Amino acid sequence: MKILHTSDWHVGKVLKGQSRAEEHKAVLAGVIDIARAEQPDLVIVAGDLYDTAAPTSEATRLVTRALTALRRTGADVVAIGGNHDNGPALDALRPWADAAGITLRGGVRENPDEHVIDGTTAGGERWQLAALPFLSQRYAVRALEMYELTAAETNQTYADHLGRVLGRLTEGFTEPDRVHLVTAHLTVTGATTGGGERDAHTVLGYAVPATVFPATAHYVALGHLHRAQRVIGPCPVRYSGSPLAVDFGEQENVPSVTIVEVTASTAARVREVPVTAASALRTVRGTLAQLAEIEAPDAWLRVYVREQPRAGLREEVQELLPRALEIRIDPELLAAPGSGARIAQRSGRSPRELFADYLDSRGHADEGVQELFDELFEEVEH
């Protein structure tokens, strides 16, 4: 069978105030074109369909149309909720999804069998997919209780909880003539973050070892980390990555989807297919004079300015580089010797003095900014 694995669409993403709706339309059209060309038997969307738990009607329309178009290629389509998604809201779409022939699992259901999906390809290959949406710490414990896996002990970790839930969902991975698959939205220990993920859901006890997946799985399709990568484990484990760079920390990522070909008796063969429709994200740095000489790339820009801070500097940079979304003083300049020579002491000092000291410590001697602060402070005070 052939599988198209994608994840982390983050539809509805706004980058530094810039909507990316048109880019998302182009990106998802690209994913659909790949599906038409590749003719997969199964499309897996491994979570974070949306960027926010309260997506706009435009974002919802784009996601539902994309899923429908993927289904119309003839593939079975399975999508799960990620940490950015609202699980109950996704599950509220299940009547629509069921009518469209799409399997949607937004959150963990009381009956674990609802998370085990069976299918057969047009060529007769039988497959079974264990689909686990993102689980917070609290809901991981609740899932154990719902599935009667005994109450969680106080010394057990999130990884322990997830391992037990996955063990329950994959306990049927024993038939030798069937392809066994897993999809989940989580962080695996040793994998590399893409740069735009929520830290709270990638660290602080949320990482799990690859050993939570059974050796009997033919392929594990993961979402959550935005960089496409293979993870060492007891079976083939892979992140497809996001099909567009979500934030500037991801500018070196190569957006793609993953194509997997596998049978019940042969190992998975994996390849990446690039998705190039979105604007690239790039970082440029230099003085105003240097920035004026740059041939502006066709990309959204993060600009590190090598100038002392002053009022109006942002506007000057934006005039030179209209696609600059993030403009900062170069951190290397701020870290230069002597730039933090004086540290404001709070005791007995007025807000004006503290602010002046702060400006001085950052190498920002600009009376215009100080005057603006004085005006604002006076408004607030009175």
Side-chain angles (χ1 to χ4, degrees):
M1 68 181 296
K2 184 185 282 190
I3 302 159
L4 188 154
H5 168 202
T6 180
S7 72
D8 296 278
W9 291 356
H10 287 274
V11 174
K13 174 69 178 178
V14 175
L15 179 60
K16 312 299 180 185
Q18 173 65 45
S19 169
R20 307 192 74 190
E22 292 305 313
E23 290 178 82
H24 265 116
K25 288 177 186 176
V27 163
L28 293 182
V31 173
I32 293 160
D33 285 344
I34 292 169
R36 288 177 181 143
E38 293 285 348
Q39 288 293 295
D41 300 291
L42 172 65
V43 174
I44 299 174
V45 187
D48 279 355
L49 287 81
Y50 299 105
D51 190 61
T52 171
T56 63
S57 57
E58 180 186 21
T60 302
R61 185 162 51 248
L62 182 52
V63 165
T64 53
R65 285 180 176 176
L67 293 173
T68 301
L70 288 168
R71 178 71 181 105
R72 284 177 179 163
T73 66
D76 286 306
V77 177
V78 178
I80 61 172
N83 61 305
H84 282 251
D85 296 317
N86 183 324
L90 276 182
D91 283 329
L93 292 173
R94 282 184 61 177
W96 160 80
D98 292 343
I102 296 162
T103 301
L104 194 57
R105 295 292 180 265
V108 173
R109 313 292 289 182
E110 290 188 12
N111 180 1
D113 293 338
E114 285 197 53
H115 294 278
V116 182
I117 299 125
D118 293 296
T120 304
T121 70
E125 189 79 60
R126 296 169 61 235
W127 55 268
Q128 186 172 79
L129 171 65
L132 181 64
F134 174 75
L135 277 177
S136 66
Q137 298 269 11
R138 179 164 62 94
Y139 277 93
V141 174
R142 184 180 172 192
L144 291 179
E145 295 167 348
M146 284 195 302
Y147 297 169
E148 298 179 352
L149 299 175
T150 73
E153 298 176 15
T154 55
N155 64 342
Q156 286 185 322
T157 64
Y158 177 79
D160 294 327
H161 301 156
L162 231 63
R164 294 168 71 193
V165 171
L166 281 165
R168 171 64 181 83
L169 299 183
T170 60
E171 61 187 14
F173 283 17
T174 54
E175 295 185 35
D177 60 345
R178 185 169 61 185
V179 176
H180 301 127
L181 306 166
V182 177
T183 185
H185 193 87
L186 46 75
T187 302
V188 175
T189 306
T192 304
T193 57
E197 304 88 350
R198 277 185 191 159
D199 286 344
H201 291 151
T202 54
V203 295
L204 302 177
Y206 270 94
V208 304
T211 51
V212 297
F213 305 115
T216 49
H218 289 82
Y219 182 75
V220 177
L222 296 181
H224 191 30
L225 302 188
H226 296 172
R227 178 174 297 173
Q229 61 192 292
R230 172 176 173 260
V231 181
I232 303 298
C235 55
V237 180
R238 186 171 179 82
Y239 287 96
S240 67
S242 177
L244 83 169
V246 172
D247 211 333
F248 284 104
E250 302 179 14
Q251 62 185 6
E252 301 304 324
N253 294 356
V254 179
S256 64
V257 298
T258 299
I259 300 294
V260 184
E261 294 179 77
V262 63
T263 73
S265 58
T266 59
R269 291 180 296 154
V270 176
R271 56 190 166 89
E272 294 177 19
V273 180
V275 180
T276 58
S279 292
L281 304 182
R282 295 287 181 264
T283 298
V284 296
R285 58 197 340 135
T287 63
L288 278 177
Q290 290 168 333
L291 295 175
E293 297 298 318
I294 288 176
E295 186 175 338
D298 184 19
W300 299 119
L301 301 178
R302 174 172 60 182
V303 182
Y304 288 141
V305 193
R306 297 191 64 82
E307 302 272 354
Q308 289 300 323
R310 64 174 183 274
L313 181 59
R314 169 180 290 275
E315 289 73 15
E316 292 178 63
V317 173
Q318 208 118 40
E319 190 173 337
L320 292 172
L321 301 169
R323 299 203 75 186
L325 297 184
E326 183 177 333
I327 301 169
R328 297 183 179 183
I329 302 302
D330 194 327
E332 294 176 6
L333 188 67
L334 293 175
S339 62
R342 290 168 51 182
I343 300 174
Q345 300 296 321
R346 289 181 176 274
S347 179
R349 299 176 69 84
S350 70
R352 188 182 195 284
E353 290 171 322
L354 289 172
F355 188 67
D357 230 15
Y358 167 75
L359 291 179
D360 193 38
S361 73
R362 306 296 284 183
H364 197 320
D366 191 315
E367 277 300 317
V369 174
Q370 182 69 63
E371 287 170 10
L372 285 172
F373 175 83
D374 292 343
E375 289 176 23
L376 287 170
F377 186 73
E378 189 174 346
E379 277 185 36
V380 171
E381 201 173 32
H382 299 294

